[in-house]
């Protein structure tokens, strides 16, 4: 039993030694292998985490700085770039939204995006007055990135309407303040319609011209906008997407495209309607019935050209403008006709019925009033005087003035040219030609006062003003009244005046198609009045029988003037005339003289 105990003790001692050795070896293994290797791994892991954190911090730092870059891009008007950057930043921010600072940044970026949209809207409104291809392309690209192409179109139309209102208001306000001469702010608070009533007669035509010029700029911008979209869509169609994945996108873009196209086409008539209403308010704001003839013709010319612009802009017949110009024309013409009849009465009362010295080759075409007939086919003249067909002008107004200039600038130039033309070839300037027709004439006293007036009347086209030198008149007086009958027509001063008036009325008919019938009626009244006056002076029976000089065509056929019995004269005072002439004279007396 003791031996067994001793053996067990020896075994236990051996086991203790083995255990001690094992522990020592485990300890050395732990130190030499496990701790070193795992430490390396742990460090590596930590390093990776820190690298990732550093990257995130750098991204956050960049995100924090983007607002500076964004504001720089907006100053440079690089809207597409700014939006692209902003959208990328938003995408990045959503990745790091677990950081507190990033959630704040995200809301800030949203505000920036809204700010960009506002600036984009302002940039879009700038294209309404001065269209710039590169600028508009940037704006459209920016809206495309935002996915708001259709919204942009709605905004654009709103801006055009606003541009028309602001433009006309500023133009009229400028003239009203200029004429008022004081810095009164009450005009700025007025409605446009009321403001138009404050325009003075002197500034009416310049203001109308400037108004049309400004409106032309707006319409030209709209025309160019449409052109841009047409070209842009053609380019898109010629370069379709390469893969099928873009099929859905292309469907969407087709829908957007058709929306934009319809919106633009619809906008044409809306914008032209706005233009018409603004010009109508201006036209009817002033009473033009007391305007000079030439000034009124200029007004008609400007409006006529505006109507042509309207027709080319959207194929409109400009009913609003036609109606307003018709109203003004009727008022003006009634007043003008009344004044001309009074003038004619004065001419007839002072007429001495002597020959008016004119050139042997005199024709009505030489008179200033008939000049417009020669210009009817001249392309440089205003559209109201051009034939309906535009074969002569292959280019439309928008194509002509695409690079610059304005169709309303030529009005004043034309007027100046016409005035110069009149002074150069009015049929009286050359004394040499007159001397070949007339012989020397000594007496100065027999020239009627109206003859002197007539020369001036021709130059101004208005009431006579003394502006011809005495020497010139004296040299003309010397011309003999006994014309070479074979060459020169037989005219009195009043006849010439009536011919002039007919020319003016014809010019009005040419421009004022809507009231042409009223004008031709007034032309017949002029002639009727003249005919009645001539008959009253030379055909009535209240003069001595021997001196009564009846017009040869109105006497009874086969009756000699010397042997007409007194009882043939009628108590009505119409004298010995054919029934047809009697009816005519009665009609004139009833419709014109008695009234």
């Amino acid at each position: 039993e003791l031996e067994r105990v001793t053996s067990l003790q020896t075994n236990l001692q051996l086991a203790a030694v083995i255990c001690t050795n094992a522990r020592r070896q485990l300890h050395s293994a732990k130190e030499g292998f496990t701790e070193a290797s795992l430490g390396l791994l742990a460090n590596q892991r930590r390093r990776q985490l820190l690298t990732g954190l550093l990257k995130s911090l750098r991204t956050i730092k960049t995100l924090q700085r983007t607002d500076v870059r964004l504001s720089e891009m907006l100053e440079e008007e690089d809207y597409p770039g700014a939006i692209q950057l902003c959208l990328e930043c938003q995408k990045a921010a959503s990745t790091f939204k677990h950081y507190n600072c990033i959630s704040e940044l995200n809301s800030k970026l949203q505000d920036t995006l809204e700010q960009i949209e506002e600036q984009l809207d302002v940039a879009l409104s700038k294209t309404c007055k001065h269209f710039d291809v590169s600028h508009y392309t940037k704006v459209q690209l920016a809206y495309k990135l935002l996915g708001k192409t259709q919204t942009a179109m709605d905004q654009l139309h709103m801006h055009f309407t606003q541009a028309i209102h602001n433009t006309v208001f500023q133009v009229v306000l400028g003239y009203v303040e200029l004429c008022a001469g004081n810095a009164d702010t009450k005009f700025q608070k007025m409605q446009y319609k009321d403001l138009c009533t404050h325009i003075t007669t002197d500034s009416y035509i310049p203001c109308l011209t400037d108004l049309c010029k400004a409106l032309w700029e707006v319409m030209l911008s709209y025309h160019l906008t449409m052109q841009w979209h047409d070209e842009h869509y053609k380019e898109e169609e010629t370069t379709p997407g390469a893969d099928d994945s873009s099929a859905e996108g292309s469907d969407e873009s087709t829908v957007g495209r058709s929306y934009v196209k319809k919106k633009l086409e619809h906008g044409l008539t809306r914008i032209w309607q706005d233009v018409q209403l603004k010009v109508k308010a201006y036209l009817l704001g002033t009473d033009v019935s007391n305007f000079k003839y030439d000034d009124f013709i200029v007004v008609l010319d400007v409006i006529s050209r505006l109507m042509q612009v309207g027709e080319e802009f959207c194929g409109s017949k400009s009913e609003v403008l036609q109606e307003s110009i018709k109203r003004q024309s009727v008022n003006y013409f009634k007043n003008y006709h009344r004044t001309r009849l009074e003038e004619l009465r004065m001419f007839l009362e002072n007429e001495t019925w002597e020959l008016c010295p004119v050139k042997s080759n005199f024709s009505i075409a030489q008179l200033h009033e008939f000049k417009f007939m020669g210009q009817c086919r001249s392309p440089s003249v205003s559209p109201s005087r051009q034939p309906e067909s535009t074969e002569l002008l292959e280019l439309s107004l928008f194509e002509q003035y695409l690079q610059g200039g304005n169709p309303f600038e030529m009005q004043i130039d034309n007027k100046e040219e016409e005035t110069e033309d009149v002074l150069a070839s009015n049929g009286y300037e050359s004394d040499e030609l007159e001397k070949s027709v007339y012989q020397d004439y000594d007496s100065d006293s027999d020239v009627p006062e109206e003859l002197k007036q007539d020369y001036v009347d021709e130059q101004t086209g208005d009431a006579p003003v003394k502006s011809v030198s005495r020497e010139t008149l004296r040299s003309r007086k010397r011309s003999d009244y006994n014309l070479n009958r074979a060459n020169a027509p037989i005219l009195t001063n009043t006849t010439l005046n009536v011919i002039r008036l007919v020319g003016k009325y014809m010019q009005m008919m040419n421009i004022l198609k809507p009231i042409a019938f009223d004008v031709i009626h007034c032309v017949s009244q002029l002639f009727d009045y003249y005919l009645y006056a001539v008959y009253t002076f030379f055909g009535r029976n209240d003069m001595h029988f021997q001196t009564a000089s009846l017009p040869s065509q109105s006497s009874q056929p086969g009756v000699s003037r010397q042997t007409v019995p007194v009882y043939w004269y009628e108590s009505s005072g119409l004298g010995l005339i054919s029934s047809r002439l009697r009816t005519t004279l009665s009609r004139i007396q009833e419709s014109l003289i008695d009234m």
Side-chain angles (χ1 to χ4, degrees):
E1 195 63 38
L2 190 64
E3 277 176 7
R4 280 173 67 197
V5 168
T6 309
S7 169
L8 182 63
Q9 189 179 358
T10 309
N11 284 345
L12 284 170
Q13 281 172 346
L14 183 65
V17 171
I18 290 167
C19 281
T20 308
N21 286 343
R23 278 185 180 171
R24 187 164 62 256
Q25 283 171 352
L26 271 174
H27 184 66
S28 65
K30 181 186 172 187
E31 278 183 353
F33 176 71
T34 314
E35 279 186 4
S37 301
L38 290 176
L40 274 173
L41 287 171
N43 285 342
Q44 179 63 23
R45 182 165 170 269
R46 194 180 295 126
R47 183 182 166 191
Q48 281 178 338
L49 284 170
L50 287 171
T51 311
L53 183 63
L54 189 64
K55 199 176 177 184
S56 298
L57 287 169
R58 277 187 184 144
T59 310
I60 290 166
K61 190 181 177 184
T62 312
L63 287 173
Q64 297 282 15
R65 283 184 183 168
T66 41
D67 56 341
V68 181
R69 178 71 192 120
L70 279 171
S71 56
E72 280 175 13
M73 287 174 110
L74 288 176
E75 276 176 30
E76 292 164 10
E77 293 189 347
D78 181 11
Y79 305 109
I83 289 167
Q84 191 87 42
L85 181 62
C86 204
L87 292 172
E88 282 171 10
C89 287
Q90 276 188 325
K91 202 175 178 182
S94 63
T95 318
F96 300 107
K97 62 184 175 204
H98 47 280
Y99 297 114
N100 287 338
C101 60
I102 289 294
S103 57
E104 288 172 20
L105 181 71
N106 217 347
S107 59
K108 193 179 175 185
L109 281 171
Q110 193 56 43
D111 294 343
T112 311
L113 201 60
E114 283 167 16
Q115 188 191 334
I116 291 172
E117 277 191 49
E118 282 171 21
Q119 288 209 20
L120 203 54
D121 197 42
V122 174
L124 188 67
S125 68
K126 284 180 187 172
T127 62
C128 296
K129 286 182 185 175
H130 304 288
F131 184 85
D132 180 64
V133 177
S134 58
H135 178 79
Y136 189 72
T137 309
K138 278 183 193 173
V139 172
Q140 280 297 328
L141 187 59
Y143 272 114
K144 197 175 180 181
L145 286 169
L146 287 170
K148 293 188 175 179
T149 319
Q150 295 185 11
T151 316
M153 234 346 96
D154 299 339
Q155 289 291 100
L156 184 67
H157 281 84
M158 215 167 68
H159 288 312
F160 267 107
T161 309
Q162 194 64 34
I164 289 169
H165 176 74
N166 292 348
T167 305
V168 293
F169 189 81
Q170 287 307 319
V171 170
V172 176
L173 181 68
Y175 274 94
V176 169
E177 286 180 342
L178 190 73
C179 298
N182 55 358
D184 197 349
T185 53
K186 68 171 183 179
F187 293 125
Q188 292 176 356
K189 292 167 187 169
M190 277 188 180
Q191 290 288 322
Y192 170 72
K193 210 169 185 178
D194 302 329
L195 198 64
C196 290
T197 57
H198 287 78
I199 288 284
T200 60
T201 313
D202 296 337
S203 59
Y204 187 82
I205 291 175
C207 183
L208 176 65
T209 312
D210 284 355
L211 202 63
C212 291
K213 281 182 186 176
L215 289 168
W216 160 261
E217 292 295 337
V218 176
M219 287 191 282
L220 181 65
S221 292
Y222 194 86
H223 177 79
L224 291 170
T225 306
M226 284 194 75
Q227 208 169 299
W228 184 91
H229 280 280
D230 287 344
E231 287 170 7
H232 189 64
Y233 293 150
K234 277 174 192 167
E235 281 174 24
E236 280 186 2
E237 282 166 14
T238 51
T239 55
D243 53 350
D244 297 331
S245 62
S246 64
E248 284 180 28
S250 67
D251 284 349
E252 279 177 30
S253 68
T254 309
V255 172
R257 214 176 292 165
S258 63
Y259 175 82
V260 168
K261 199 175 179 184
K262 278 180 188 169
K263 189 82 181 169
L264 283 168
E265 284 169 1
H266 176 66
L268 279 172
T269 44
R270 235 182 73 185
I271 283 170
W272 177 240
Q273 195 65 15
D274 283 350
V275 169
Q276 284 191 92
L277 291 170
K278 296 294 178 195
V279 177
K280 178 189 176 181
Y282 181 82
L283 280 175
L284 301 179
T286 307
D287 178 24
V288 295
S289 59
N290 297 315
F291 271 35
K292 287 182 179 177
Y293 172 80
D294 285 344
D295 289 346
F296 188 66
I297 290 293
V298 170
V299 173
L300 293 180
D301 253 0
V302 172
I303 298 300
S304 180
R305 175 143 289 224
L306 188 63
M307 286 183 192
Q308 191 194 4
V309 169
E311 191 158 344
E312 289 185 10
F313 186 65
C314 62
S316 164
K317 292 292 173 201
S318 315
E319 287 85 0
V320 177
L321 278 180
Q322 281 190 8
E323 184 52 42
S324 50
I325 202 71
K326 186 179 177 181
R327 266 171 65 184
Q328 285 289 44
S329 303
V330 169
N331 289 345
Y332 176 81
F333 191 72
K334 277 181 185 169
N335 195 45
Y336 182 79
H337 183 59
R338 197 180 302 117
T339 317
R340 295 293 81 83
L341 281 175
E342 279 298 311
E343 205 177 83
L344 184 58
R345 187 171 69 88
M346 189 184 75
F347 263 89
L348 287 164
E349 282 172 358
N350 296 314
E351 181 58 78
T352 54
W353 302 102
E354 290 184 357
L355 286 175
C356 186
V358 290
K359 285 184 186 177
S360 56
N361 61 352
F362 171 80
S363 77
I364 58 164
Q366 292 166 349
L367 294 175
H368 164 68
E369 287 77 8
F370 289 90
K371 281 277 189 291
F372 78 96
M373 291 170 74
Q375 291 169 335
C376 273
R377 283 172 182 79
S378 158
S380 64
V381 94
S382 70
S384 54
R385 300 172 174 174
Q386 286 176 359
E388 289 290 315
S389 66
T390 50
E391 287 164 10
L392 291 171
L393 278 181
E394 290 173 9
L395 291 174
S396 71
L397 286 174
F398 288 100
E399 287 165 340
Q400 274 178 287
Y401 298 98
L402 198 62
Q403 302 306 319
N406 202 298
F408 297 98
E409 277 168 359
M410 56 200 301
Q411 301 302 326
I412 293 101
D413 307 339
N414 274 345
K415 200 181 169 202
E416 283 169 7
E417 282 168 24
E418 276 182 22
T419 313
E420 287 169 344
D421 262 355
V422 172
L423 296 174
S425 61
N426 61 4
Y428 299 100
E429 294 302 307
S430 165
D431 284 336
E432 295 301 317
L433 270 169
E434 283 183 25
K435 282 174 186 169
S436 67
V437 183
Y438 313 116
Q439 283 132 21
D440 289 341
Y441 189 69
D442 294 322
S443 170
D444 286 356
S445 60
D446 290 337
V447 178
E449 191 62 29
E450 297 74 57
L451 188 61
K452 301 170 194 173
Q453 288 178 342
D454 192 49
Y455 289 110
V456 189
D457 185 53
E458 174 153 349
Q459 289 163 16
T460 58
D462 210 78
V465 183
K466 289 187 181 179
S467 64
V468 181
S469 68
R470 253 176 216 170
E471 285 77 14
T472 320
L473 280 174
R474 214 165 274 152
S475 69
R476 286 175 183 144
K477 286 176 191 172
R478 289 196 194 100
S479 302
D480 190 29
Y481 290 138
N482 292 323
L483 300 170
N484 178 347
R485 295 278 193 289
N487 296 331
I490 299 170
L491 293 170
T492 63
N493 196 35
T494 310
T495 319
L496 207 55
N497 187 49
V498 173
I499 292 170
R500 282 179 196 289
L501 288 177
V502 171
K504 285 183 178 179
Y505 283 29
M506 280 170 71
Q507 195 173 355
M508 279 199 180
M509 281 192 285
N510 186 38
I511 295 174
L512 288 174
K513 303 283 191 296
I515 67 159
F517 182 77
D518 301 331
V519 180
I520 198 78
H521 175 66
C522 294
V523 171
S524 70
Q525 282 192 347
L526 287 175
F527 178 75
D528 287 350
Y529 194 34
Y530 179 74
L531 173 74
Y532 190 87
V534 170
Y535 175 77
T536 308
F537 290 141
F538 300 110
R540 290 172 71 111
N541 63 346
D542 52 1
M543 52 186 90
H544 289 298
F545 177 66
Q546 280 79 7
T547 58
S549 91
L550 294 174
S552 58
Q553 71 271 25
S554 62
S555 59
Q556 296 285 353
V559 180
S560 168
R561 197 169 57 180
Q562 282 76 9
T563 58
V564 177
V566 180
Y567 60 81
W568 275 39
Y569 290 97
E570 296 169 11
S571 58
S572 66
L574 291 176
L576 179 66
I577 49 171
S578 69
S579 58
R580 189 177 168 193
L581 182 58
R582 190 186 305 119
T583 314
T584 306
L585 291 167
S586 303
R587 176 183 60 75
I588 296 171
Q589 177 140 8
E590 283 166 21
S591 65
L592 194 64
I593 311 298
D594 294 346
M595 286 171 75

